[in-house]
Amino acid sequence: MALNRLKLLVLNKKYVGLLLGVAMFLAFTGGGAAADESLAASLNTALSQPSKNKSKVSAVVVDVHTGDTLYANRYANDGFIPASNMKLVTSAVALHTYGPEAKFTTTLAVAGDDLLVIGTGDPAFGDAKLAERDGRTPMSVLDDWAMALRNAGIVKIKGDLVVIDTVFDDKLVHPTWSSNNRLQWYGAPVAGVSFNSNCVDFTFVPTSAGKSATILTVPAEGGFVVQGSVKTVGKDGKHNPVLGKRPAPEKGMSVYTVRGNLKQRSGPHPKPVDDPRLFLGEVLKAHFARHGIEIAGHVRLEERVTSEMAQRSRVIATHQTALPDILGRVNTDSQNMMAEALAKLNGWAYELRQGNLRDRGTWIGGHAAAIAFLKSQGIDTVSVVSADGSGLSRDNRVSAAVLARLLETMLRDHEHSEYYLDSLAVSGVRGSFRKRLKSLTGRVFAKTGTINGVSSLSGYVFADNGRIAAFSILHNGPAGGFRQQQDRAVQAISDWLNDQPGVAIEDPDVVEAMRHVGLLAEPVAQ
């Protein structure tokens, strides 16, 4: 009887139309009980694509307080290329794995006749932005180390300067990154030791017309050579300085080329090095020489601290970077190399938990760590491929549904929610989001993402009435104008949230996170 009734229902055109309409609505909104038609209409309009446009968008909005899906379009669960929104996964895994108290150390030690530099994966050693925050420069830490050597009475090293990467494999760049990516700062190589984001910073300074411009670099020397020159021209001349990079000889110095004309100061322009380990070693050797400390031998690489080294070693100095500082550089500033270091650190920790004590941090291990973490949070990983940590690889895949659920979980349920929230860019205020959505200044914490044919934006909207939404919008395709669509969509989410009844913010993790970033005032002592 039930089957006959179903046949009659399907054959009735009136009901066929009704069913199709319901099906289309569920396909576009996700069908959640809390999905709102007015919000769906606003977002559908904001994210609408021209009929001939081959671009696609995956979009989801989740109520952080209740966990209800407020909006999910037809591609919500499909794996999209996320660009830098992949950093949301990488940074969440790192925060969960290591905790906010974690510090990553680079050590200077002597062992017999050799000077050792021992890395444990700190990607922010000599980082320009963190140094500037503290009133220093990338070279300041090297000055500190030179002073530490002299204070220890060491002014000559008879042996070699040995750089030891104790944690990562020897794959410095991801195999799926394009050759052009590898020539840009955002494609800098990753290793267990780093310096200045594994880049040389170039600044061109004009002199007199017809004369060669001055080329300033940070660092000033060590581990690289510069070929060519740039000519200073008058005010009517053409301004076209060109900075290039050539493939380095095997285990050789990084080679940069300069040419063109210069009218006004230009820079700094960062260019990646070829091997961060050799780069740091050569920079240290040259910098120590400036401080009157001679290293008689060469720079050489080792994979581990041998038992003989350990027995003979004496620590001279250490430098530590706190994990929250790295998270801020990754999510606020979209620093790719640091995200890759976190991915490999995640993989290294994951392998250790599996009992693989000899394994090193790899991108494959980083993927396994990401999948394991997401599953532990009850998030479906069918759509997830974490090829690298930064999102530069076009092999990455993740759905808006996964990112929205991750964001909801990290704010509402995670014990370190305040550090995750504080790592993000803020609308109209800071990072890669500072010039966008100024109408919602300080109310949207998000991660942007852009590579060719991909634009993404995922984060949180904080309404004035206490409501909070986690959202993810992933655009894939050839068309432009994605950022404008994303901003319209986020404005629509904010407008809708503020039109709803206000709610009390009672979840302790959410309260702590909002106080941490200044969205809630600290309680007044009675």
Side-chain angles (χ1 to χ4, degrees), residues 2 23 93 167 203 243 292 312 324 342 361 453 456 461:
V93 177
V167 290
T203 299
L243 173 62
R312 297 191 300 162
L342 290 183
S456 52
V461 179

Side-chain angles (χ1 to χ4, degrees), residues 197-266:
S197 298
N198 296 338
C199 288
V200 177
D201 297 332
F202 288 80
T203 299
F204 301 102
V205 182
T207 55
S208 301
K211 302 293 185 179
S212 294
T214 299
I215 301 173
L216 305 176
T217 63
V218 177
E221 59 181 321
F224 65 96
V225 294
V226 182
Q227 299 175 345
S229 63
V230 174
K231 186 173 71 173
T232 302
V233 296
K235 62 179 182 179
D236 296 327
K238 188 175 183 180
H239 180 80
N240 59 351
V242 178
L243 173 62
K245 188 172 183 293
R246 288 180 177 171
E250 184 69 19
K251 293 189 179 298
M253 291 191 172
S254 301
V255 180
Y256 303 99
T257 60
V258 296
R259 58 184 173 86
N261 300 322
L262 184 75
K263 286 198 296 185
Q264 65 266 354
R265 186 184 180 102
S266 178

Side-chain angles (χ1 to χ4, degrees), residues 28 43-44 47-49 54-60 71 73-76 78 80 400 455 472-477 482 485-486:
F28 209 80
L43 290 177
N44 293 346
L47 298 173
S48 63
Q49 304 288 326
K54 295 182 180 180
S55 300
K56 293 182 178 180
V57 57
S58 177
V60 172
Y71 175 86
N73 76 351
R74 61 187 300 182
Y75 299 115
D78 291 359
F80 274 50
S455 182
S472 179
I473 304 168
L474 310 177
H475 279 97
N476 283 189
F482 292 151
Q485 292 182 16
Q486 292 160 7

Side-chain angles (χ1 to χ4, degrees), residues 110-348:
V110 290
D113 290 336
D114 294 330
L115 185 64
L116 312 182
V117 178
I118 306 166
T120 60
D122 178 11
F125 180 76
D127 178 64
K129 190 154 190 175
L130 293 178
E132 182 182 18
R133 179 198 66 183
D134 298 333
R136 290 159 62 89
T137 73
M139 306 307 295
S140 297
V141 64
L142 305 191
D143 293 335
D144 295 342
W145 280 15
M147 183 63 68
L149 282 170
R150 296 191 69 88
N151 289 342
I154 300 171
V155 293
K156 183 173 182 177
I157 299 294
K158 296 179 181 179
D160 294 334
L161 196 161
V162 185
V163 181
I164 307 173
D165 180 347
T166 64
V167 290
F168 294 166
D169 66 356
D170 60 0
K171 293 181 174 59
L172 304 179
V173 293
H174 199 278
T176 65
W177 294 351
S178 72
S179 57
N180 181 65
N181 289 156
R182 301 180 190 195
L183 297 177
Q184 313 304 326
W185 70 267
Y186 51 79
V190 59
V193 293
S194 298
F195 180 69
N196 195 41
S197 298
N198 296 338
C199 288
V200 177
D201 297 332
F202 288 80
T203 299
F204 301 102
V205 182
T207 55
S208 301
K211 302 293 185 179
S212 294
T214 299
I215 301 173
L216 305 176
T217 63
V218 177
E221 59 181 321
F224 65 96
V225 294
V226 182
Q227 299 175 345
S229 63
V230 174
K231 186 173 71 173
T232 302
V233 296
K235 62 179 182 179
D236 296 327
K238 188 175 183 180
H239 180 80
N240 59 351
V242 178
L243 173 62
K245 188 172 183 293
R246 288 180 177 171
E250 184 69 19
K251 293 189 179 298
M253 291 191 172
S254 301
V255 180
Y256 303 99
T257 60
V258 296
R259 58 184 173 86
N261 300 322
L262 184 75
K263 286 198 296 185
Q264 65 266 354
R265 186 184 180 102
S266 178
H269 303 289
K271 277 290 180 181
V273 301
D274 288 283
D275 189 325
R277 304 163 299 180
L278 290 173
F279 172 59
L280 176 57
E282 294 291 352
V283 169
L284 278 170
K285 186 177 180 182
H287 196 72
F288 287 163
R290 287 188 169 194
H291 285 263
I293 301 169
E294 178 189 353
I295 299 175
H298 302 286
V299 174
R300 61 183 172 90
L301 306 180
E302 295 289 348
E303 291 186 351
R304 58 182 54 86
V305 178
T306 66
S307 57
E308 182 182 0
M309 287 178 184
Q311 290 172 2
R312 297 191 300 162
S313 67
R314 174 165 60 109
V315 173
I316 302 299
T318 60
H319 175 84
Q320 294 184 320
T321 303
L323 178 59
D325 286 338
I326 300 171
L327 295 178
R329 293 287 279 124
V330 168
N331 285 338
T332 294
D333 303 318
S334 209
Q335 221 293 339
N336 283 1
M337 182 276 291
M338 295 188 189
E340 301 304 346
L342 290 183
K344 287 194 172 187
L345 284 166
N346 293 341
W348 180 61

